[in-house]
């Protein structure tokens, strides 16, 4: 706790569950200083966080004194990641109030289960970074189950997008297809030709055509990518 008051430009992470622990490790791997607030003293992840020498505060993140104890006024970002939507919303509102004028400049990431609830929070309370881990994961699992090698998932507004790799089937719907003929909003970011396992062709020209056994790196809305997969 002695390190916490002097920290500046750090991330305040609220909630040390399975998701919170992954985010913590990711932030540390990026060289970011992190302070953790966890309500439950018996949380099994606390020992892992202590092993990483991360400053910890056991307390209620909805209380002003708890937020002050982690030097919120000098934090660069806040991640609220408990497994309870109502707790996350209440904590997010407390953080917003405590940040005051800094609210618009400090990213506050809020985890919720229901993406529609997240959308309403963005509209009603001005949160800019509300994410549903289940909604992010669903396109990944569905795409992978249907044969796409999903590399990345992200959202544009409320619409899930994927970056995925698809091997072109001989005689399939993508065999010989030119980039300008791709359906909808699908784009090919790069192509690894079957004849070259090392070099990537990027960005492909509009008249570039796919060939059997090429690896096409596709970017687009989740539903449209699944249509391309069925087309192939």
């Amino acid at each position: 706790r002695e390190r916490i008051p002097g920290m500046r430009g750090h991330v305040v992470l609220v909630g040390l569950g399975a998701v919170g622990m992954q985010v913590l490790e990711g932030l540390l791997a990026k060289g970011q200083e992190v302070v953790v607030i966890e309500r439950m003293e018996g949380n099994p992840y606390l020992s892992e966080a202590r092993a990483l020498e991360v400053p910890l505060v056991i307390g209620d993140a909805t209380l002003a004194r708890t937020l002050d104890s982690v030097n919120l006024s000098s934090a660069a970002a806040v991640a609220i990641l408990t497994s309870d939507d109502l707790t996350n919303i209440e904590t997010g509102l407390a953080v917003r109030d405590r940040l005051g004028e800094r609210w618009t400049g400090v990213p506050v990431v809020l985890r919720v289960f229901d993406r529609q609830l997240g959308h309403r929070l963005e509209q009603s309370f001005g949160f800019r970074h509300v994410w549903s881990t289940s909604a992010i994961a669903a396109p990944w699992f569905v795409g992978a189950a249907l044969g796409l090698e999903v590399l990345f998932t992200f959202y544009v507004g409320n619409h899930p997008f994927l970056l995925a790799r698809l091997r072109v089937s001989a005689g399939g719907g993508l065999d010989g297809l030119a980039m300008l003929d791709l359906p909808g909003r699908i784009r090919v970011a790069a192509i690894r030709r079957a004849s070259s396992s090392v070099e990537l062709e990027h960005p492909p020209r509009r008249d570039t055509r796919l060939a059997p056994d090429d690896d096409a790196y596709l970017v687009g809305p989740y539903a449209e990518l699944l249509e391309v997969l069925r087309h192939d």
Side-chain angles (χ1 to χ4, degrees):
R1 292 180 182 241
E2 293 177 358
R3 294 174 54 193
I4 296 173
M7 294 180 73
R8 302 183 63 85
H10 56 294
V11 174
V12 176
L13 192 155
V14 181
L16 200 60
V19 173
M21 195 66 208
Q22 290 291 319
V23 172
L24 173 61
E25 291 175 346
L27 289 168
L28 294 177
K30 297 289 187 181
Q32 180 68 54
E33 286 192 293
V34 185
V35 176
V36 173
I37 302 176
E38 169 56 45
R39 187 189 296 242
M40 304 298 295
E41 292 190 27
N43 186 321
Y45 291 101
L46 288 176
S47 58
E48 294 185 40
R50 290 190 177 103
L52 295 171
E53 299 183 350
V54 173
L56 297 168
V57 169
I58 306 299
D60 185 346
T62 66
L63 300 178
R65 65 174 178 269
T66 304
L67 297 175
D68 290 344
S69 73
V70 297
N71 208 24
L72 179 66
S73 61
S74 298
V78 182
I80 304 170
L81 305 173
T82 81
S83 57
D84 184 89
D85 283 2
L86 292 179
T87 298
N88 289 343
I89 293 168
E90 187 179 3
T91 302
L93 293 173
V95 168
R96 185 185 67 172
D97 292 343
R98 206 62 186 162
L99 284 172
E101 294 180 354
R102 298 187 67 228
W103 164 249
T104 57
V106 176
V108 177
V109 180
L110 199 66
R111 174 193 178 191
V112 297
F113 180 80
D114 185 345
R115 180 61 197 166
Q116 293 304 315
L117 172 61
H119 184 56
R120 291 196 295 272
L121 286 172
E122 291 170 337
Q123 289 184 322
S124 302
F125 295 102
F127 288 99
R128 303 181 303 281
H129 308 284
V130 183
W131 299 102
S132 166
T133 49
S134 59
I136 292 172
W140 187 299
F141 285 109
V142 173
L146 294 178
L148 282 173
E149 184 178 350
V150 180
L151 304 175
F152 194 71
T153 64
F154 60 99
Y155 272 80
V156 178
N158 289 314
H159 303 287
F161 276 62
L162 300 181
L163 169 63
R165 178 166 50 207
L166 176 65
R167 179 152 294 177
V168 178
S169 302
L174 297 183
D175 187 356
L177 189 71
M179 300 298 100
L180 56 85
D181 295 326
L182 282 168
R185 292 167 289 177
I186 299 300
R187 295 293 179 268
V188 176
I191 302 170
R192 176 172 281 121
R193 296 296 186 182
S195 58
S196 174
S197 60
V198 178
E199 294 185 5
L200 282 175
E201 185 178 324
H202 67 88
R205 298 186 303 274
R206 286 171 54 82
D207 58 350
T208 297
R209 295 183 179 274
L210 295 169
D213 295 327
D214 285 349
D215 284 333
Y217 292 82
L218 305 171
V219 181
Y222 159 56
E224 292 185 21
L225 270 179
L226 296 186
E227 284 299 322
V228 168
L229 179 62
R230 281 190 281 268
H231 184 66
D232 190 53

